[in-house]
Amino acid sequence: MRITVGNFLFRTRNALFPLLYLTLFLGGQHVSENAVAMLVAGAAIALLGQAIRILTVGLDYIVRGGRQRKVYADSLVQTGLFAHCRNPLYLGNLLMIIGFGVAANNPWYLGIAMPLFFLGYACIITAEEHYLLGRFGDSYRHYCAQTPRLLPRVAGLCQTLDTFAFNWRRVIVKEYTTLCMTLLVLVLLSSRALNVDARGWQVSGGLIALILLACFAVRLLKKSGRLHAGPLR
């Protein structure tokens, strides 16, 4: 059952998951009266998740999104952050989901949307593990025995960071949409939590415009071929 649900969510997550983010802005209730503290704590957690994603993509990369909206892998990547955690990209996503919820200080998101996110990712991970086990067999069993599913193994992390050349170009090309989304959500949540006036919303609007402009510029450079990540695994 979880495998079937996971495959469905893998195909539809780009359409369904953004709908859950809308609950960040529902209602006027708050979990804590200290909105600023919640905002700072949540932003720190979300940015940590984004940093993990950036490290993952910059050190060693797997092709995301599968093939024809189905789980797929050409090879079993076990280096970079994948040597310390089997799902570092999903770990980053989950931290961002938690961070957004804390920053929003919104009981609707924390009580309904966030558990649905966790359940959804649990099903997706199960579906991916089922596929990888069938494709790579004993190699994947050995990898699972040596590497945690989500909570990363810290031992040897410094050596990994020293060993791999960090590919900033690949980060920009492959991660720009997620990074723009993270910054946009944090700007909107900050404006809401700080209860800014009309001038504050002008500043927020300017930041949003700059983020969207940067995203659009990267997309144009990528489509034109002037900006590319280089060979992938």
Side-chain angles (χ1 to χ4, degrees):
M1 179 65 177
R2 286 177 64 178
I3 294 173
T4 302
V5 173
N7 283 321
F8 169 76
L9 291 176
F10 187 89
R11 293 193 304 271
T12 60
R13 68 194 189 281
N14 290 335
L16 292 180
F17 283 8
L19 296 177
L20 293 177
Y21 282 122
L22 294 178
T23 59
L24 287 167
F25 307 97
L26 285 180
Q29 301 91 347
H30 301 292
V31 175
S32 169
E33 294 298 325
N34 195 336
V36 175
M38 293 288 283
L39 174 65
V40 172
I45 296 170
L47 291 174
L48 173 61
Q50 180 64 77
I52 290 173
R53 287 184 58 90
I54 288 173
L55 271 178
T56 302
V57 175
L59 293 177
D60 202 2
Y61 181 72
I62 59 171
V63 177
R64 295 171 290 170
R67 175 175 291 181
Q68 297 179 343
R69 296 194 303 170
K70 294 181 180 179
V71 178
Y72 181 83
D74 283 320
S75 61
L76 184 60
V77 179
Q78 303 178 58
T79 52
L81 285 195
F82 292 95
H84 302 270
C85 170
R86 302 204 304 270
N87 298 281
L89 291 170
Y90 289 158
L91 172 62
N93 289 352
L94 291 171
L95 286 172
M96 289 161 62
I97 287 166
I98 294 170
F100 292 154
V102 174
N105 196 18
N106 188 317
W108 290 99
Y109 180 90
L110 291 170
I112 298 175
M114 198 162 75
L116 289 176
F117 270 124
F118 291 166
L119 179 61
Y121 275 110
C123 291
I124 289 174
I125 289 172
T126 299
E128 290 187 348
E129 289 178 342
H130 176 76
Y131 169 83
L132 293 171
L133 181 61
R135 181 169 177 81
F136 299 108
D138 288 340
S139 296
Y140 185 67
R141 289 189 182 91
H142 178 73
Y143 177 51
C144 290
Q146 299 296 319
T147 313
R149 178 181 282 119
L150 273 177
L151 295 179
R153 183 178 62 246
V154 179
L157 182 58
C158 291
Q159 181 179 358
T160 297
L161 296 177
D162 289 338
T163 301
F164 281 81
F166 192 82
N167 190 334
W168 276 107
R169 182 182 292 267
R170 185 166 61 208
V171 169
I172 294 171
V173 171
K174 299 298 180 181
E175 192 63 11
Y176 76 96
T177 54
T178 302
L179 181 57
C180 286
M181 184 275 294
T182 301
L183 295 176
L184 286 173
V185 171
L186 290 179
V187 168
L188 290 172
L189 291 177
S190 298
S191 301
R192 188 169 184 264
L194 298 175
N195 196 24
V196 297
D197 56 15
R199 183 176 178 81
W201 276 111
Q202 288 179 351
V203 174
S204 297
L207 290 174
I208 290 171
L210 285 175
I211 293 168
L212 292 176
L213 181 62
C215 184
F216 183 68
V218 172
R219 181 175 178 82
L220 283 181
L221 290 171
K222 178 181 176 181
K223 292 295 184 181
S224 69
R226 286 180 287 178
L227 181 63
H228 56 84
L232 300 177
R233 296 189 52 155

